[in-house]
Amino acid sequence: MGPYTHDETADPELAHHPEVVLLPENTQQVAEIVKLANHHKLPIVPRGAGTGLSGGIVPKFGGIVISLERFDKIIEIDSENMFMTVEAGVITERVQEAANRAGFLYAGDPCSGHSSTIGGNVATNAGGNKVLKYGSTRRQVYGLEVVTAEGDIVFLGGKCMKDSTGYSLLNLIIGSEGTLGIITKVILKLQPLPSHRVDLLAIFPDRSSAMQAVPLILQKGIIPAALEFMDNRAVQCCEEYIGEKLPYRKDAYYLIVTLEGDDEGFLEGQMALIDEVCRDSGVIEILAADPRRIWRARRVFAEASRARSPVYSGEDLVVPLSALGVIIKFIVDRGEEYGVTIHCAGHAGDGNVHAHILKDSINDDNWRQILLALHDQIYKKVYSLGGKLSGEHGIGYKRVKLLEEFCHPVELKMMKAIKQCLDPNLILNPGKVLQF
Amino acid sequence: MGPYTHDETADPELAHHPEVVLLPENTQQVAEIVKLANHHKLPIVPRGAGTGLSGGIVPKFGGIVISLERFDKIIEIDSENMFMTVEAGVITERVQEAANRAGFLYAGDPCSGHSSTIGGNVATNAGGNKVLKYGSTRRQVYGLEVVTAEGDIVFLGGKCMKDSTGYSLLNLIIGSEGTLGIITKVILKLQPLPSHRVDLLAIFPDRSSAMQAVPLILQKGIIPAALEFMDNRAVQCCEEYIGEKLPYRKDAYYLIVTLEGDDEGFLEGQMALIDEVCRDSGVIEILAADPRRIWRARRVFAEASRARSPVYSGEDLVVPLSALGVIIKFIVDRGEEYGVTIHCAGHAGDGNVHAHILKDSINDDNWRQILLALHDQIYKKVYSLGGKLSGEHGIGYKRVKLLEEFCHPVELKMMKAIKQCLDPNLILNPGKVLQF
């Protein structure tokens, strides 16, 4: 049962053995398991591929892990309505590839897409590299089959383009991290497949010039598919991990911009505008990037940090765009103050920062203390800037105490009331998101 | 208090006097009113401009109407982050105009925009004429100030581009029609203002050829801002109402297509593709439409039907796109079977049909019986096609019994559980959406 004790957070405090792992093959079996568990008040932890970064699938109180790995069927591609129906355990990349083969785009694109499941994407409202243009996973999801905490099967939403028929339970389940229901099937929106794509790598001499360019690009009315940031430490760490030389890596701060569209001439015009904005902000060089290499470097960020320091705290904070430069500077300064290395990268266009605080050789007691102090300072600052704890990874187990501290008490009370009314015995993924 | 007894549904059965109408000036006053009402278990009906079409603001059980009409301030246009913050009582058109003046687009565009309030748009998850490209009101809303049923004030969401920080209460409140909280402030996303716009009017000889063209246009990878349908009866009725001659009105079925973008050449290419698709489907003529005239005709559809028959039942059903032709034919055939006139228009690209069933001179008893029979047949068909009761008008009071009948019992049970946990005394807009 070892593999089912943890997700990708390597912190040993975020691992726990389940009492049993079940691999049901269909929704009816899931419903029967949940009915039994609810009757006997046993914890149930639904699990996709275990690629989460918040301890969301750790069976913290033992009980039953329900792995959705056998829910791996692509049920239908409906070209006429431009929807795809899949079981929850299908790997994200398989969804993307199947959509492409049918002439469509599936716009969800988390960095973990090669191994994460679509059910996990929905449960955390995963973001990724195309949120700026297409929105988070929430915006791709139009229908969900869900097993409730009482073992009932319900289908929410469907293939309608709009819906004002009662409360949006669909949107309540999306992002609820397996605490309000178990997702077994998903209807995903497909987009027209853009015929052209351009990847640019803009190399800046320092953080502030790179950060300055981000809102300016968006204010030009350009909506890139991706607008990513990597600070110099992230660039160096990722270069070492993939073993391929990256441009200017010694002193580079990267912005990676992807444009997608159907009109090559128009994309070229947008590239020229981006070029102009970046030059005004003091860019060193703008390269037409090799998308394979540059995106590989960006995507391995989590693995690269882990390779350097097996234990690290990966933050997933999100702030309004105008506060992006302020919060990154604040985090890096605090790292220097406390003598810890912090790598920053993230979805700059979304205001979503992944700050990796590395434990390196710091001893366990000091690490805990430093992390507590850093989190306290960082999130006080984040919330003062109108930001939030998580942009795309979710609260999981790792951020439960932080949510308790930083979420408005009325909002927290409403969340807890909803959890208690939909899962009266608190059996679904206990200890995640909310604490009771 | 007369004006506060009803919304735009002229059916006298959907009108009722409140015991008092209060016009608070700020959120604190709303909170104090709700605290008192909750203590004394008095019904509270929050109200915007009363332009709804489902009886959502009718004080069915008397009590207190809280009109938000004094909440009329545009608080901020944040150009850097591309957000606008407004009080709930601001008229939609004022939001659109203020966004335009600042160089942005506010993409919400209900037909009632000249008089509806933004708070009402959020409460019903209003749709309108640009859903195809920009999504319903839900997608424009990033933050809400809400007064809960217990009189607490809470701010949900904010100016972050993404958020996975606990349950999406924001999305739960959107579309809950004043039954889970009273919306007092709204943060709306602004879009880059497209520099070019084209309006086409495609005139078809019959319904089936017009319907055939709809999915074909979208399958070409074109995403129009609007793709609207008016059947021949709707065209004639609207022409009479506005008193301006419309092209081919004697035998015309209209598709109105609006394209928006920054690249004129690209829009021209898309127009050529649409032209091709429409010709393949048997179009009579495609005109570069005078947007003022043709959109005026489309927008007055509700008023035009009401002018002909003060009492009518306006349906707001939504189906998957591929079922659009089937359901419209089914509805028109049922009208003929029962001897009632039905006008159909709607947001074809969204699969959202507004079928106006006219009472005309039918006597009251017959009308009730016919309507019951028609609703039963129509919605059985809608649900068999994967459709829903409401695409954008909401359940209100008018569709409570239909929701009870057609919503999946588990989904209904979950909705009721949420209502009861967030509004234990059932004081907020009682008798709307759900019945207890």
Side-chain angles (χ1 to χ4, degrees):
Chain A
M1 293 199 289
Y4 298 93
T5 59
H6 63 86
D7 66 2
E8 299 259 318
T9 43
D11 188 337
E13 286 202 9
L14 293 175
H16 197 281
H17 262 265
E19 274 144 341
V20 60
V21 177
L22 298 177
L23 286 78
E25 284 182 323
N26 57 55
T27 307
Q28 199 52 50
Q29 290 181 351
V30 175
E32 283 168 28
I33 295 165
V34 175
K35 272 185 188 147
L36 261 177
N38 190 41
H39 181 73
H40 295 287
K41 301 189 181 170
L42 300 173
I44 287 196
V45 180
R47 178 190 165 104
T51 61
L53 293 165
S54 309
I57 53 80
V58 176
K60 203 62 205 174
F61 299 101
I64 301 163
V65 164
I66 294 188
S67 170
L68 278 298
E69 62 204 88
R70 288 185 179 167
F71 280 69
D72 62 353
K73 278 182 274 308
I74 292 175
I75 296 166
E76 181 202 47
I77 294 182
D78 175 349
S79 296
E80 192 173 5
N81 291 303
M82 295 173 64
F83 283 106
M84 187 167 172
T85 308
V86 301
E87 290 185 333
V90 176
I91 304 296
T92 316
E93 199 173 73
R94 273 188 67 213
V95 173
Q96 294 167 333
E97 287 167 358
N100 287 171
R101 276 196 303 274
F104 297 106
L105 171 75
Y106 170 65
D109 187 30
C111 281
S112 61
H114 59 284
S115 53
S116 65
T117 64
I118 205 74
N121 293 182
V122 178
T124 55
N125 184 25
N129 302 312
K130 291 184 174 178
V131 171
L132 201 48
K133 182 162 183 179
Y134 300 102
S136 294
T137 299
R138 180 181 303 286
R139 203 188 291 169
Q140 324 309 325
V141 176
Y142 280 64
L144 288 179
E145 184 185 74
V146 175
V147 176
T148 70
E150 292 175 343
D152 290 320
I153 299 169
V154 65
F155 205 100
L156 305 172
K159 290 183 183 176
C160 295
M161 289 292 290
K162 62 211 262 198
D163 187 1
S164 289
T165 311
Y167 305 157
S168 184
L169 301 181
L170 182 83
N171 273 294
L172 184 64
I173 297 293
I174 297 169
S176 67
E177 304 186 47
T179 65
L180 298 180
I182 301 177
I183 296 159
T184 47
K185 260 180 221 144
V186 187
I187 297 183
L188 298 166
K189 190 82 195 80
L190 300 176
Q191 308 289 338
L193 190 60
S195 55
H196 293 85
R197 171 185 172 137
V198 190
D199 293 272
L200 297 176
L201 173 61
I203 300 162
F204 290 85
D206 49 43
R207 191 177 51 243
S208 65
S209 56
M211 288 299 99
Q212 186 189 323
V214 172
L216 294 177
I217 290 170
L218 301 176
Q219 283 160 31
K220 289 278 178 193
I222 300 168
I223 305 179
L227 176 44
E228 299 287 310
F229 168 73
M230 296 176 78
D231 77 359
N232 182 248
R233 286 193 176 123
V235 172
Q236 292 200 31
C237 182
C238 291
E239 180 179 59
E240 276 156 37
Y241 184 75
I242 65 175
E244 279 191 57
K245 194 160 160 37
L246 294 173
Y248 288 84
R249 68 104 167 157
K250 279 227 171 89
D251 51 9
Y253 289 77
Y254 284 0
L255 287 187
I256 308 167
V257 190
T258 302
L259 300 173
E260 287 184 350
D262 286 327
D263 185 336
E264 205 171 1
F266 185 65
L267 293 188
E268 278 167 15
Q270 293 199 317
M271 278 169 65
L273 274 177
I274 292 171
D275 195 89
E276 190 187 307
V277 166
C278 289
R279 284 191 200 288
D280 289 348
S281 305
V283 77
I284 302 174
E285 194 168 353
I286 303 180
L287 305 170
D290 169 359
R292 193 199 54 79
R293 192 167 57 153
I294 196 64
W295 275 102
R296 189 171 166 224
R298 170 64 189 89
R299 282 178 191 271
V300 298
F301 178 52
E303 293 92 321
S305 290
R306 194 179 304 117
R308 166 158 164 190
S309 171
V311 175
Y312 73 90
S313 179
E315 308 308 318
D316 175 42
L317 58 97
V318 61
V319 292
L321 211 54
S322 57
L324 189 63
V326 175
I327 194 64
I328 295 180
K329 181 174 184 325
F330 183 88
I331 292 169
V332 172
D333 287 352
R334 290 296 80 65
E336 280 171 17
E337 185 186 327
Y338 286 87
V340 290
T341 301
I342 303 183
H343 300 165
C344 286
H347 312 294
D350 309 327
N352 185 201
V353 181
H354 297 317
H356 293 175
I357 307 171
L358 307 192
K359 181 170 182 284
D360 285 331
S361 57
I362 300 168
N363 78 45
D364 286 2
D365 283 351
N366 282 349
W367 169 243
R368 286 295 144 209
Q369 280 177 21
I370 290 172
L371 206 54
L372 272 176
L374 274 174
H375 278 164
D376 184 61
Q377 289 204 39
I378 289 171
Y379 288 110
K380 274 182 183 150
K381 185 73 176 174
V382 165
Y383 274 75
S384 77
L385 294 165
K388 299 263 177 166
L389 282 171
S390 171
E392 56 179 25
H393 295 169
I395 300 302
Y397 176 67
K398 192 166 102 175
R399 298 187 180 92
V400 169
K401 287 204 176 97
L402 288 169
L403 189 72
E404 195 79 19
E405 190 178 342
F406 287 99
C407 185
H408 189 286
V410 175
E411 186 177 0
L412 200 62
K413 187 177 141 193
M414 291 169 78
M415 287 187 197
K416 286 185 179 179
I418 288 169
K419 167 69 177 174
Q420 285 177 305
C421 85
L422 295 184
D423 178 13
N425 292 322
L426 303 179
I427 59 161
L428 281 181
N429 213 1
K432 315 301 164 56
V433 186
L434 300 168
Q435 67 181 29
F436 287 92
Chain B
M1 292 197 290
Y4 298 94
T5 60
H6 63 86
D7 66 1
E8 299 259 317
T9 43
D11 189 336
E13 286 204 8
L14 293 177
H16 197 279
H17 262 266
E19 275 142 340
V20 60
V21 178
L22 298 177
L23 285 76
E25 285 183 322
N26 58 54
T27 307
Q28 198 53 49
Q29 291 180 352
V30 175
E32 284 168 27
I33 296 165
V34 175
K35 273 185 187 148
L36 261 176
N38 191 42
H39 181 72
H40 295 287
K41 300 189 182 170
L42 301 172
I44 287 198
V45 180
R47 177 189 165 105
T51 61
L53 294 164
S54 308
I57 52 82
V58 176
K60 205 62 205 173
F61 299 102
I64 303 163
V65 165
I66 293 188
S67 169
L68 278 299
E69 60 203 89
R70 290 186 178 167
F71 279 68
D72 61 354
K73 278 181 274 311
I74 293 176
I75 296 168
E76 181 204 47
I77 294 181
D78 175 349
S79 296
E80 193 174 3
N81 291 303
M82 295 172 67
F83 283 106
M84 187 166 171
T85 307
V86 302
E87 290 186 334
V90 176
I91 303 297
T92 315
E93 201 173 71
R94 273 189 66 213
V95 173
Q96 294 167 333
E97 288 168 356
N100 286 172
R101 278 196 302 274
F104 297 107
L105 171 75
Y106 170 64
D109 187 30
C111 281
S112 60
H114 59 285
S115 53
S116 66
T117 64
I118 204 74
N121 293 182
V122 177
T124 55
N125 185 24
N129 302 312
K130 292 185 174 179
V131 171
L132 202 47
K133 183 163 181 176
Y134 300 102
S136 294
T137 300
R138 180 182 302 287
R139 203 188 289 170
Q140 323 308 326
V141 176
Y142 279 66
L144 287 179
E145 184 187 73
V146 175
V147 176
T148 70
E150 292 174 344
D152 291 319
I153 301 169
V154 64
F155 206 100
L156 305 171
K159 290 183 182 175
C160 295
M161 289 292 292
K162 60 211 264 197
D163 188 0
S164 288
T165 310
Y167 305 157
S168 184
L169 300 181
L170 181 84
N171 273 294
L172 184 65
I173 298 293
I174 298 169
S176 67
E177 304 186 45
T179 65
L180 299 180
I182 301 178
I183 297 160
T184 47
K185 261 180 219 141
V186 188
I187 297 183
L188 298 165
K189 190 84 197 77
L190 300 176
Q191 307 289 338
L193 190 62
S195 55
H196 293 85
R197 172 186 170 135
V198 190
D199 293 273
L200 297 175
L201 173 61
I203 300 162
F204 291 85
D206 49 43
R207 191 176 52 243
S208 65
S209 56
M211 288 298 99
Q212 187 189 321
V214 173
L216 294 178
I217 290 170
L218 301 176
Q219 283 160 34
K220 290 279 178 191
I222 299 168
I223 305 179
L227 177 42
E228 300 286 310
F229 168 74
M230 295 175 79
D231 77 0
N232 183 248
R233 285 192 176 125
V235 172
Q236 294 200 31
C237 183
C238 291
E239 180 179 58
E240 277 156 36
Y241 184 75
I242 63 174
E244 281 190 57
K245 191 155 163 44
L246 294 173
Y248 288 86
R249 66 105 169 156
K250 282 227 169 89
D251 51 8
Y253 289 78
Y254 283 0
L255 287 187
I256 308 167
V257 189
T258 303
L259 299 174
E260 288 183 350
D262 286 326
D263 185 337
E264 204 171 2
F266 184 65
L267 292 188
E268 277 167 15
Q270 293 198 316
M271 280 170 64
L273 273 176
I274 292 171
D275 195 89
E276 191 187 307
V277 167
C278 289
R279 285 190 197 288
D280 289 350
S281 304
V283 76
I284 301 173
E285 193 168 352
I286 303 180
L287 304 171
D290 170 1
R292 194 198 54 79
R293 192 167 60 152
I294 195 65
W295 276 104
R296 185 167 170 227
R298 170 63 189 89
R299 282 176 190 270
V300 300
F301 178 50
E303 292 92 321
S305 289
R306 195 179 303 119
R308 166 159 167 189
S309 170
V311 175
Y312 72 91
S313 179
E315 309 306 319
D316 174 42
L317 59 96
V318 60
V319 292
L321 210 54
S322 57
L324 189 63
V326 175
I327 194 65
I328 294 180
K329 182 175 185 325
F330 183 87
I331 292 168
V332 172
D333 287 353
R334 289 296 80 66
E336 281 170 16
E337 185 186 327
Y338 285 86
V340 290
T341 301
I342 304 183
H343 299 165
C344 286
H347 311 294
D350 310 327
N352 184 201
V353 181
H354 297 316
H356 293 176
I357 308 170
L358 306 191
K359 181 170 182 281
D360 285 332
S361 58
I362 301 169
N363 77 46
D364 287 1
D365 284 351
N366 282 349
W367 169 243
R368 288 294 145 208
Q369 279 177 22
I370 289 172
L371 205 54
L372 271 175
L374 274 175
H375 279 164
D376 184 61
Q377 288 203 41
I378 289 172
Y379 289 110
K380 274 182 182 150
K381 187 72 176 176
V382 165
Y383 275 76
S384 78
L385 294 166
K388 299 262 175 164
L389 283 172
S390 171
E392 55 180 24
H393 295 169
I395 298 304
Y397 176 67
K398 191 166 106 175
R399 298 187 179 94
V400 168
K401 288 206 175 96
L402 288 169
L403 188 72
E404 195 79 19
E405 189 179 343
F406 287 98
C407 184
H408 189 285
V410 175
E411 187 177 359
L412 200 62
K413 187 176 139 195
M414 290 170 79
M415 287 186 198
K416 288 184 177 179
I418 288 169
K419 167 71 176 171
Q420 286 176 302
C421 84
L422 295 185
D423 177 13
N425 292 323
L426 303 178
I427 59 160
L428 283 180
N429 214 1
K432 314 303 164 53
V433 186
L434 301 168
Q435 67 180 29
F436 286 92

